[in-house]
């Protein structure tokens, strides 16, 4: 890599968040070049520091792999915000920050004079991002929000899992904390929008980011199907509610995803499978008709797919523009030639990590410094504040 892109160089972020949604946003801003100071509890730090095994580092200052995944590129300072001295120190840093990210319960930071009203009186340019489970108002605003609960309440689990009557049927959560991750991403886009607006207005914004709002928003076509057509989405396993055939099929030696997205692809698929006549049958001529005859068609295809291995199907379909893919386990993902070629596995100070996905002019926008040890930069930050009374710049 040549010089890492830093489009947010000079942007100063005070990260008071912990666990995942807030730290994910802070890490993304750090990847884009922002200077991020992470405030953590003395002695314990971010909850996720202890969410192991696996661990990285020596026992005295080990960090969980979970913590490493969401905190690269930051500086750590341990501050007891519940103390008068600690709250005053946070206010001093916030006075010179561009962005503040926090995910405390609604109203909790006001007890320490660290809420958005108090801090924007000190710093009108401050963009203050509050991340909660349910938002700043409404009957559930005081409740703690956890990704698992939000996936349940927000409808995602009602459309995830095998359909009723199938083996293993029942609601299922997604394998990663998507409500947290999506909220972190949405929060970042709002922060960037507020930074852009501030060039004109000269003042900051208070961003109210709620996991539940985000989860409802990313129901996407499932929500639209209900709002437009009155169709109540149901669990369909690996099938797609709006496209057929678009699901997992068993092959001679494993499984494959078949993702036929239009009528031409369906006809090509049938021809390649040696069943060209099925591709021209009137009852399968359009996607709407294939949805109508979903079960019948899926049963036919299931028999065809057992005739070849996953590799054989992939070699047959991919070159002929019929979308398909093997289902890989995580070790295989990092061995995939495209993942290797794109450099998605990186090392920061020896720590193996997943790279940020965006490239700018061909270069990864990713911080080159690792996740910090607890209070690793505390002494330097305090000394700089005492000396200069300004934002303690990174050395």
């Amino acid at each position: 890599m040549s010089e890492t892109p830093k489009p947010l160089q000079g942007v100063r972020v005070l990260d008071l968040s912990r666990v995942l949604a807030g730290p994910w946003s802070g890490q993304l801003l750090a990847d884009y070049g922002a200077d991020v100071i992470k405030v953590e509890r003395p002695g314990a730090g971010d909850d996720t520091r202890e969410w192991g095994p696996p661990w990285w580092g020596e026992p005295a200052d080990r960090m969980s792999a979970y913590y490493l995944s969401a905190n690269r590129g930051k500086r750590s300072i341990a501050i007891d915000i519940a103390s008068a001295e600690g709250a005053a120190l946070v206010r001093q840093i916030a006075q010179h920050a561009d962005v503040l990210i926090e995910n405390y319960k609604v109203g909790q930071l006001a007890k320490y004079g660290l809420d958005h009203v108090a801090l924007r009186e000190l710093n009108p340019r401050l963009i203050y991002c509050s991340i909660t489970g349910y938002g700043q108002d409404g009957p559930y605003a005081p409740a703690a929000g956890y990704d698992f609960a939000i996936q349940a309440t927000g409808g995602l689990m009602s459309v995830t899992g095998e359909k009723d009557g199938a083996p293993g049927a029942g609601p299922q959560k997604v394998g990663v904390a998507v409500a947290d991750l999506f909220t972190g991403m949405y929060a970042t886009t709002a922060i960037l929008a507020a930074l852009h607006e501030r060039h004109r207005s000269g003042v900051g914004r208070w961003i109210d980011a709620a996991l539940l709002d985000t989860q409802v928003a990313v129901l996407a076509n499932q929500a639209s199907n209900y709002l437009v057509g009155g169709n109540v989405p149901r669990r369909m396993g690996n099938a797609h509610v709006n496209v057929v055939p678009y699901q997992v099929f068993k092959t001679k030696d494993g499984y494959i995803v078949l993702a036929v997205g239009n009528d031409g692809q369906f006809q090509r698929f049938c021809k390649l499978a040696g069943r060209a006549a099925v591709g021209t049958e009137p009852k399968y001529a359009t996607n709407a008709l294939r949805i109508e005859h979903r079960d019948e068609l899926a049963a036919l295809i299931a028999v065809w797919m057992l005739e070849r291995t996953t590799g054989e199907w992939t070699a047959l379909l991919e070159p002929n523009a019929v979308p398909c893919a093997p289902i890989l386990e995580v070790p295989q993902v990092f061995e995939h030639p495209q993942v290797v070629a794109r450099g998605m596995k990186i090392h920061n100070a020896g720590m193996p990590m997943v790279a940020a996905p965006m490239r700018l002019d061909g270069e990864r926008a990713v911080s080159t410094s690792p996740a910090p040890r607890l209070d690793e930069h505390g002494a330097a930050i305090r000394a700089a504040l005492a000396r200069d009374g300004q934002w303690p710049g990174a050395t």
Side-chain angles (χ1 to χ4, degrees):
M1 290 178 61
S2 60
E3 185 176 351
T4 303
K6 292 182 173 61
L8 293 183
Q9 187 168 2
V11 173
R12 298 161 297 191
V13 179
L14 182 55
D15 185 356
L16 301 183
S17 67
R18 65 266 191 222
V19 186
L20 189 53
W24 196 256
S25 177
Q27 176 173 267
L28 184 53
L29 294 172
D31 281 340
Y32 289 143
D35 181 11
V36 181
I37 294 178
K38 182 178 179 70
V39 173
E40 303 188 66
R41 292 174 299 166
D46 190 309
D47 298 15
T48 62
R49 284 187 179 275
E50 294 301 316
W51 285 14
W55 309 102
W56 180 268
E58 298 300 321
D61 59 359
R62 69 183 186 181
M63 293 181 280
S64 72
Y66 196 116
Y67 177 82
L68 297 180
S69 74
N71 289 285
R72 70 167 164 251
K74 304 177 186 180
R75 294 187 284 159
S76 172
I77 181 172
I79 301 176
D80 178 9
I81 68 169
S83 71
E85 179 186 3
L89 182 57
V90 172
R91 281 192 292 273
Q92 185 180 3
I93 300 173
Q95 192 169 352
H96 304 286
D98 296 295
V99 178
L100 184 149
I101 304 171
E102 59 92 3
N103 62 351
Y104 284 80
K105 289 183 179 180
V106 172
Q108 188 171 357
L109 289 180
K111 296 185 296 184
Y112 314 122
L114 299 176
D115 58 305
H116 78 283
V117 174
L119 293 186
R120 285 177 64 189
E121 284 184 2
L122 292 174
N123 179 4
R125 292 174 56 81
L126 181 66
I127 295 161
Y128 191 109
C129 180
S130 297
I131 299 175
T132 57
Y134 298 94
Q136 297 294 314
D137 53 28
Y140 279 77
Y146 299 92
D147 178 272
F148 199 174
I150 298 299
Q151 287 194 39
T153 304
L156 184 60
M157 291 179 65
S158 76
V159 297
T160 306
E162 293 298 332
K163 64 182 181 180
D164 291 340
Q172 183 68 51
K173 74 176 182 68
V174 179
V176 293
V178 290
D180 273 327
L181 296 170
F182 267 116
T183 303
M185 294 296 293
Y186 269 102
T188 303
T189 65
I191 289 167
L192 295 176
L195 282 168
H196 180 74
E197 181 191 49
R198 199 182 66 179
H199 289 303
R200 300 191 309 271
S201 69
V203 297
R205 288 275 191 174
W206 180 33
I207 298 167
D208 175 3
L211 270 68
L212 182 60
D213 293 356
T214 299
Q215 180 56 76
V216 173
V218 299
L219 287 175
N221 61 297
Q222 296 281 27
S224 187
N225 288 343
Y226 167 68
L227 295 173
V228 173
N231 304 321
V232 179
R234 303 295 184 190
R235 295 185 302 278
M236 298 183 64
N238 287 307
H240 195 294
V241 64
N242 295 119
V243 186
V244 173
Y246 200 102
Q247 65 188 79
V248 173
F249 288 99
K250 188 169 176 41
T251 66
K252 185 182 288 187
D253 67 344
Y255 294 90
I256 193 170
V257 167
L258 184 63
V260 174
N262 60 51
D263 300 337
Q265 289 175 358
F266 178 68
Q267 292 171 9
R268 278 201 305 281
F269 164 67
C270 291
K271 184 176 181 180
L272 292 165
R275 274 83 172 184
V278 175
T280 59
E281 281 194 32
K283 64 181 176 180
Y284 303 139
T286 67
N287 183 65
L289 289 169
R290 292 194 293 276
I291 290 174
E292 184 179 340
H293 298 93
R294 175 193 301 273
D295 292 342
E296 172 188 317
L297 179 58
L300 280 176
I301 295 174
V303 174
W304 308 349
M305 301 306 286
L306 291 172
E307 296 173 356
R308 291 181 172 89
T309 66
T310 298
E312 289 168 343
W313 277 116
T314 303
L316 177 65
L317 300 179
E318 274 190 349
N320 290 286
V322 176
C324 65
I327 298 175
L328 303 181
E329 293 186 348
V330 173
Q332 296 171 302
V333 170
F334 286 102
E335 296 168 357
H336 191 284
Q338 186 65 15
V339 175
V340 172
R342 295 286 291 178
M344 284 303 297
K345 178 182 176 181
I346 61 174
H347 288 82
N348 279 356
M351 296 178 184
M353 302 191 74
V354 180
M358 295 296 106
R359 285 186 178 182
L360 304 180
D361 292 330
E363 299 295 339
R364 289 274 176 219
V366 58
S367 174
T368 55
S369 61
R373 299 186 302 275
L374 178 59
D375 201 37
E376 179 178 344
H377 308 91
I381 291 172
R382 284 180 165 86
L385 286 168
R387 182 182 65 246
D388 304 323
Q390 301 291 320
W391 176 268
T395 56

